[in-house]
Amino acid sequence: MDVLGGSSAIVPSPYSNPTTPMNKTQFLTKPLTHQNFLFKPLVFSNRSKSKLFTFLSSNPATTESMEEPKPPEPEAEAEVDSKEEKFDWYSQWYPVMPLCDLDKKKPHAKKVMGLDLVVWWDRNENEWKVFDDLCPHRLAPLSEGRIDQWGRLQCVYHGWCFNGSGDCKLIPQAPPDGPPVHTFKKACVAVYPSTVQYDIVWFWPNTDPQYKDIIMKKKPPYIAELEDPSFTKAIGNRDIPYGYEVLIENLMDPAHVQYAHYGIMQIGTPTEKVDREGGRPIDMEIRKVHVNGFTGKQGWGYPEYIAPCIFHTFVLPDSDQAPAANRMVSLIFMCIPVSPGQSRLIWVFPRNFDVWIEKFVPRWFFHIALNLILDSDLHLLHVEERNIMENGGSKNWKKACFVPTKSDAFVVGFRRWLNKYAGGEVDWRGKFSGALPPSPPREQLMDRYWSHVVNCKSCNTAHKGLNALEVILQVVSVGLIGIVAATKQNAMSMVARTTMVSMAILCFAASRWLVHFIKKTFHYHDYNHAFL
């Protein structure tokens, strides 16, 4: 669908225009049709006139004459929040997982901001709970436990049980006539404030009691489309083997689409092509940088970065027309810091047309295309992050990288926000040394099963079902051959014998094709740019 075809191309959100609001009749032009549902061409507009960034000339002679090339800097007239506020990484709401990929019958292990969490459904309070993933007894992971018959979270190491408030309700080893050791404070589990918004579990990464009711004072970021019941919401998640900074930059960067995703995503052809792929200048600007993120401008709309996790923008199906009335499809990327070199992406692609499609097409079918897009530049970004680290890390990014064109404006804006307000990098509070984890073999790096399938209820169900079908096809194939072999020649006509042998061959061929399909769809699909 369009949103899959545009997962990396940025067309901005009209919801965040800081000066002139746009009404709902000013969005998209052409409906997404069934025929172009997966890979709709994306186009980039060059209509904006204002200049908020000074960019160096890309003329080779000019570049050679410069002693030290510098990345683009905002001009003096750019709107910048002059307050010396500092962004607090631990006073924010973070998305954890979509509800559709959580099972109420078991606890789930998740890591966010370096914190090991257990997410579980408390049926006594009818709420999702987020606990520290440590049993206070011997620090075993509670995520390996179960929900007992009374709806409590039970540690399977020694059977300690906890209610939704983190209170220990049972220590089986404590004698009934002894002191009530389960009531001691040290027997409790740390509970994080949590809430459900947009069908996603969010948590606040601070267990201090003063934040118990933080939801009454501060809510997760508001996104209009996700509150609108007329929108369908294609949602998914994947663990990513490179860090939060690189992930969010990549999603802000439309210029890489023609190259890194060549052959996967169809891009509108420019009038004049400078190369096979059709790269072109892209007019992008940053309008305002402040402690909570920034707003920008591209084409007809205004994308927004809502710190620390959300990049919100729109897809424009056809640049030859102005945005059409009442047809909207937006791209919402939630980029979650997990640990150094690891992040998690939750995507939501709301649209208010062709909503019937998702009632008939299973969710995992759309994830095939999205995973292929993510895989096609995954290795590039994994290596890029290590190169940045070797050249001084995030704080030295400005000197290490050369970004002379407007197509990098959002990336420069993000790095500017990161350095000005957030200390230049994610605050891990000393939980990590700062080194990136070792690079695994390519097949392990690009593995889909452990990074997505096991965490996606739809893909996991499809994976199990297709594996079962593959076995059934093989059994049928062998069974048919066995019947033919065991039946006397004069007891079965030649037509029947030929039909059964043909069916056996077809079943065997189908099972072999299915093995290949399962591997490439749910396990590993390599992407070689040199042969495209």
Side-chain angles (χ1 to χ4, degrees):
M1 59 174 153
D2 274 358
V3 292
L4 295 178
S7 63
S8 297
I10 308 305
V11 182
S13 161
Y15 280 108
S16 54
N17 183 346
T19 55
T20 307
M22 299 177 70
N23 59 48
K24 286 190 176 182
T25 64
Q26 292 180 276
F27 287 86
L28 302 179
T29 56
K30 294 175 68 178
L32 299 179
T33 62
H34 182 69
Q35 288 77 13
N36 64 11
F37 192 61
L38 280 178
F39 299 104
K40 177 72 180 180
L42 293 174
V43 289
F44 306 115
S45 173
N46 291 312
R47 283 175 276 181
S48 179
K49 302 294 183 183
S50 60
K51 297 181 179 179
L52 299 184
F53 281 88
T54 301
F55 292 91
L56 300 176
S57 169
S58 59
N59 186 305
T62 306
T63 304
E64 290 173 5
S65 67
M66 307 178 78
E67 294 183 359
E68 184 180 356
K70 295 181 180 180
E73 291 287 347
E75 293 181 356
E77 68 266 26
E79 188 175 2
V80 178
D81 192 335
S82 60
K83 296 179 182 178
E84 291 299 323
E85 297 181 77
K86 291 300 179 184
F87 182 78
D88 185 350
W89 291 90
Y90 293 86
S91 292
Q92 313 294 331
W93 286 102
Y94 288 84
V96 182
M97 278 293 283
L99 292 184
C100 59
D101 293 322
L102 292 173
D103 188 342
K104 291 182 177 181
K105 298 188 292 294
K106 67 176 186 178
H108 301 265
K110 294 295 166 189
K111 185 188 287 284
V112 179
M113 288 296 293
L115 301 171
D116 290 306
L117 312 174
V118 55
V119 183
W120 66 286
W121 174 253
D122 179 8
R123 69 168 182 258
N124 294 309
E125 297 185 27
N126 289 320
E127 291 180 352
W128 285 99
K129 302 291 184 177
V130 180
F131 284 8
D132 198 9
D133 195 13
L134 288 174
C135 178
H137 177 212
R138 300 261 292 279
L139 309 187
L142 290 169
S143 57
E144 292 293 323
R146 63 172 71 94
I147 312 298
D148 74 3
Q149 60 267 44
W150 292 282
R152 304 172 300 192
L153 179 61
Q154 183 185 64
C155 176
V156 293
Y157 194 22
H158 293 92
W160 289 32
C161 295
F162 307 89
N163 66 9
S165 300
D167 301 325
C168 184
K169 306 306 292 183
L170 174 66
I171 298 179
Q173 295 78 24
D177 55 350
V181 291
H182 68 279
T183 63
F184 289 15
K185 186 176 181 180
K186 288 196 69 173
C188 297
V189 179
V191 181
Y192 293 97
S194 61
T195 189
V196 172
Q197 185 160 304
Y198 313 133
D199 294 326
I200 296 171
V201 174
W202 300 68
F203 96 113
W204 184 272
N206 198 320
T207 59
D208 191 299
Q210 66 175 308
Y211 297 110
K212 181 180 179 181
D213 297 317
I214 189 65
I215 190 65
M216 305 301 294
K217 302 176 183 177
K218 183 177 180 178
K219 300 183 185 311
Y222 174 77
I223 302 174
E225 305 96 296
L226 297 182
E227 294 280 5
D228 192 331
S230 68
F231 281 78
T232 184
K233 302 171 182 67
I235 192 169
N237 75 90
R238 181 163 173 176
D239 291 340
I240 307 292
Y242 48 83
Y244 154 85
E245 298 98 323
V246 174
L247 172 62
I248 206 163
E249 284 177 358
N250 187 53
L251 296 169
M252 292 178 175
D253 170 26
H256 81 282
V257 174
Q258 291 98 325
Y259 301 92
H261 305 304
Y262 183 78
I264 296 178
M265 298 171 62
Q266 298 178 14
I267 309 300
T269 305
T271 305
E272 297 182 5
K273 292 183 67 174
V274 298
D275 56 17
R276 177 190 68 168
E277 293 81 6
R280 73 192 77 181
I282 303 173
D283 199 2
M284 303 167 66
E285 302 163 358
I286 297 298
R287 284 299 176 93
K288 182 176 181 180
V289 180
H290 49 83
V291 70
N292 294 315
F294 62 79
T295 55
K297 185 178 188 303
Q298 180 189 343
W300 54 272
Y302 300 84
E304 60 182 340
Y305 165 60
I306 306 173
C309 295
I310 297 175
F311 185 62
H312 178 203
T313 185
F314 272 70
V315 167
L316 183 61
D318 192 341
S319 66
D320 296 331
Q321 304 178 40
N326 300 321
R327 289 188 176 272
M328 292 175 282
V329 54
S330 78
L331 307 179
I332 299 165
F333 300 107
M334 301 183 183
C335 305
I336 304 164
V338 173
S339 60
Q342 299 289 330
S343 56
R344 183 175 303 113
L345 173 64
I346 296 176
W347 63 83
V348 192
F349 299 148
R351 72 178 189 283
N352 66 349
F353 55 94
D354 290 340
V355 297
W356 59 269
I357 293 175
E358 290 179 20
K359 296 180 180 178
F360 297 96
V361 181
R363 192 164 67 107
W364 66 269
F365 182 77
F366 302 117
H367 292 181
I368 296 174
L370 208 3
N371 277 315
L372 187 59
I373 292 170
L374 291 172
D375 284 339
S376 58
D377 60 9
L378 188 149
H379 186 260
L380 295 172
L381 297 167
H382 178 83
V383 175
E384 174 187 305
E385 180 176 38
R386 276 144 182 79
N387 291 338
I388 290 173
M389 182 64 72
E390 290 177 3
N391 284 275
S394 294
K395 293 183 178 180
N396 197 49
W397 182 91
K398 182 178 177 181
K399 293 182 178 179
C401 299
F402 180 47
V403 283
T405 67
K406 285 191 175 184
S407 64
D408 289 309
F410 293 166
V411 175
V412 173
F414 169 72
R415 286 290 178 174
R416 185 181 181 197
W417 171 85
L418 192 66
N419 289 328
K420 181 176 177 61
Y421 295 105
E425 58 188 3
V426 177
D427 179 11
W428 301 112
R429 290 192 171 176
K431 290 186 285 290
F432 304 99
S433 65
L436 295 173
S439 291
R442 189 180 181 96
E443 188 165 349
Q444 182 180 339
L445 179 71
M446 300 176 69
D447 168 76
R448 292 184 183 179
Y449 184 77
W450 293 106
S451 64
H452 173 72
V453 174
V454 296
N455 297 315
C456 173
K457 188 177 293 185
S458 178
C459 288
N460 201 2
T461 301
H463 180 259
K464 292 176 180 177
L466 292 174
N467 272 310
L469 177 59
E470 187 266 326
V471 172
I472 291 170
L473 288 172
Q474 288 200 37
V475 170
V476 170
S477 177
V478 172
L480 288 171
I481 293 296
I483 292 172
V484 172
T487 304
K488 293 181 180 181
Q489 190 169 2
N490 58 2
M492 180 182 296
S493 69
M494 183 58 67
V495 173
R497 188 179 296 272
T498 302
T499 301
M500 294 184 71
V501 171
S502 299
M503 289 179 61
I505 293 172
L506 286 174
C507 287
F508 180 78
S511 72
R512 293 299 85 201
W513 177 87
L514 203 52
V515 168
H516 176 75
F517 177 80
I518 291 170
K519 179 176 175 60
K520 298 200 75 172
T521 302
F522 300 109
H523 291 274
Y524 172 65
H525 187 142
D526 200 1
Y527 195 93
N528 193 328
H529 294 264
F531 297 102
L532 296 174

